[in-house]
């Protein structure tokens, strides 16, 4: 097995970015992604970031989940917020039709979803916290800093990004795991590629600097995740 280059973010496109899967296929893909998220600490990373942004005495919390997929992270955020005694609303957006049909199956007060692109939200639609879980690496090149700016502009408290560390061990690990355990074509193709589209610490710092945002609080978390909090 020859190792790909880890020097710069890969510009290769993931299947998820180029093909609109049928709802049932996406359901299987996102169920496996959810399993990876739970087993490899993904949601815990998100909730740690949310916790870091809560000011003392806050009673209400409105969260935007960008690239919500099947809505699992949005639902986890809502449960966490309610367990903290907050009156919470979490709204997930995703441009994928199939994703929004799936997320719409999660009916719960405080949880809502719409088929929208981050870059097309109307002016004035603001939230307390904007979260992006495994979404930023889908933004190629300079669009990643535009995405971060767009999220920051709508966040009264700050932005929480949960994304992948581009590292040879992460790539070989997820490639071996998904080849051994998954028949899903999106997972087998996209999971290792998403690592190659992931980030190194200086790149995330540069995204904030280039967008004129405050310096991020960056923490590395198992397994090969970055938790990035950008305060207002
Ligand atoms: C890998 S999935 C992550 C789903 C979910 N957040 C999770 O952690 O399981 C990335 C999602 O980001 C969405 N996405 C990509 N570009 C987007 C944009 N510009 N605005 C909103 N969502 C976007 C994709 O459609 C896809 O559903």
């Amino acid at each position: 097995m020859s190792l790909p280059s880890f020097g710069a973010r890969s510009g290769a496109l993931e299947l998820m970015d180029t093909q609109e899967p049928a709802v049932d296929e996406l359901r299987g893909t996102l169920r496996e992604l959810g399993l990876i998220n739970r087993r490899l600490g993904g949601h815990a990373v998100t909730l740690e970031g949310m916790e870091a942004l809560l000011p003392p005495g806050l009673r209400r919390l409105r969260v935007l989940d960008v690239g919500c997929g099947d809505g699992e992270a949005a639902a986890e955020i809502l449960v966490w917020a309610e367990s903290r005694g907050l009156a919470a609303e979490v709204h997930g957006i995703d441009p994928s039709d199939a994703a929004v049909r799936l997320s719409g199956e999660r009916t719960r007060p405080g949880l809502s979803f719409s088929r929208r692109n981050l870059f097309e939200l109307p002016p004035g639609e603001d939230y307390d916290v904007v979260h992006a879980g495994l979404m930023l690496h889908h933004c190629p090149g300079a669009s990643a800093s535009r995405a971060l700016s767009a999220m920051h502009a709508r966040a009264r408290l700050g932005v929480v990004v949960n994304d992948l560390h581009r590292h040879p061990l992460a790539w070989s690990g997820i490639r071996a795991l998904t080849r051994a355990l998954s028949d899903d074509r999106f997972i087998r193709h996209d999971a290792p590629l998403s690592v190659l589209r992931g980030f190194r610490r200086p790149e995330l710092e540069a995204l904030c600097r280039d967008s004129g945002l405050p310096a991020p609080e960056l923490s590395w978390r198992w397994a090969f995740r970055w938790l990035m909090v950008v305060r207002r």
Side-chain angles (χ1 to χ4, degrees), residues 16-17 30 33 37 65-69 73 93-96 99 116-119 133-135 137-138:
M16 201 180 269
D17 292 327
L30 290 175
L33 191 61
N37 262 330
D65 184 27
V66 178
C68 62
I93 59 165
D94 202 298
S96 153
R116 290 188 296 166
N117 189 314
L118 167 66
F119 297 113
L134 301 183
M135 178 270 172
H137 72 260
H138 283 267

Side-chain angles (χ1 to χ4, degrees), residues 171-230:
W171 179 80
S172 45
I174 200 71
R175 184 172 181 270
L177 198 69
T178 51
R179 286 191 172 211
L181 299 178
S182 180
D183 290 331
D184 184 294
R185 66 192 177 107
F186 283 91
I187 292 281
R188 285 169 70 101
H189 179 270
D190 286 0
L193 178 55
S194 63
V195 172
L196 298 177
R197 297 186 58 163
F199 301 92
R200 292 195 162 156
R201 181 185 283 270
E203 293 163 349
L204 290 170
E205 289 166 343
L207 285 186
C208 291
R209 215 173 31 248
D210 296 349
S211 321
L213 304 183
E217 292 158 35
L218 273 170
S219 318
W220 188 92
R221 292 287 177 260
W222 178 255
F224 294 94
R225 290 284 175 118
W226 292 115
L227 166 59
M228 179 163 75
V229 175
V230 190

Side-chain angles (χ1 to χ4, degrees), residues 39-210:
R39 289 287 157 83
L40 298 180
H43 293 316
V45 172
T46 286
L47 300 184
E48 184 185 342
M50 302 295 302
E51 194 77 47
L53 281 175
L54 283 197
L58 191 78
R59 302 170 72 117
R60 299 186 65 81
L61 181 71
R62 290 185 70 235
V63 178
L64 176 68
D65 184 27
V66 178
C68 62
D70 67 356
E72 184 172 301
E76 294 274 333
I77 292 169
L78 184 68
V79 168
W80 161 82
E82 289 174 348
S83 76
R84 303 281 271 93
L86 296 164
E89 284 171 39
V90 184
H91 183 68
I93 59 165
D94 202 298
S96 153
D97 250 331
V100 170
R101 283 181 56 191
L102 284 179
S103 58
E105 292 174 4
R106 296 178 191 271
T107 51
R108 218 198 130 130
L111 202 55
S112 59
F113 300 96
S114 58
R115 189 176 77 75
R116 290 188 296 166
N117 189 314
L118 167 66
F119 297 113
E120 291 163 7
L121 293 182
E125 184 175 329
D126 294 334
Y127 295 83
D128 297 305
V129 177
V130 179
H131 167 257
L134 301 183
M135 178 270 172
L136 197 62
H137 72 260
H138 283 267
C139 302
S143 73
S145 71
R146 282 197 290 116
L148 201 53
S149 289
M151 291 191 263
H152 195 259
R154 295 177 183 283
R156 282 188 284 269
L157 298 172
V159 172
V160 174
V161 170
N162 171 352
D163 221 303
L164 301 171
H165 179 195
R166 193 174 72 253
H167 190 284
L169 285 179
W171 179 80
S172 45
I174 200 71
R175 184 172 181 270
L177 198 69
T178 51
R179 286 191 172 211
L181 299 178
S182 180
D183 290 331
D184 184 294
R185 66 192 177 107
F186 283 91
I187 292 281
R188 285 169 70 101
H189 179 270
D190 286 0
L193 178 55
S194 63
V195 172
L196 298 177
R197 297 186 58 163
F199 301 92
R200 292 195 162 156
R201 181 185 283 270
E203 293 163 349
L204 290 170
E205 289 166 343
L207 285 186
C208 291
R209 215 173 31 248
D210 296 349

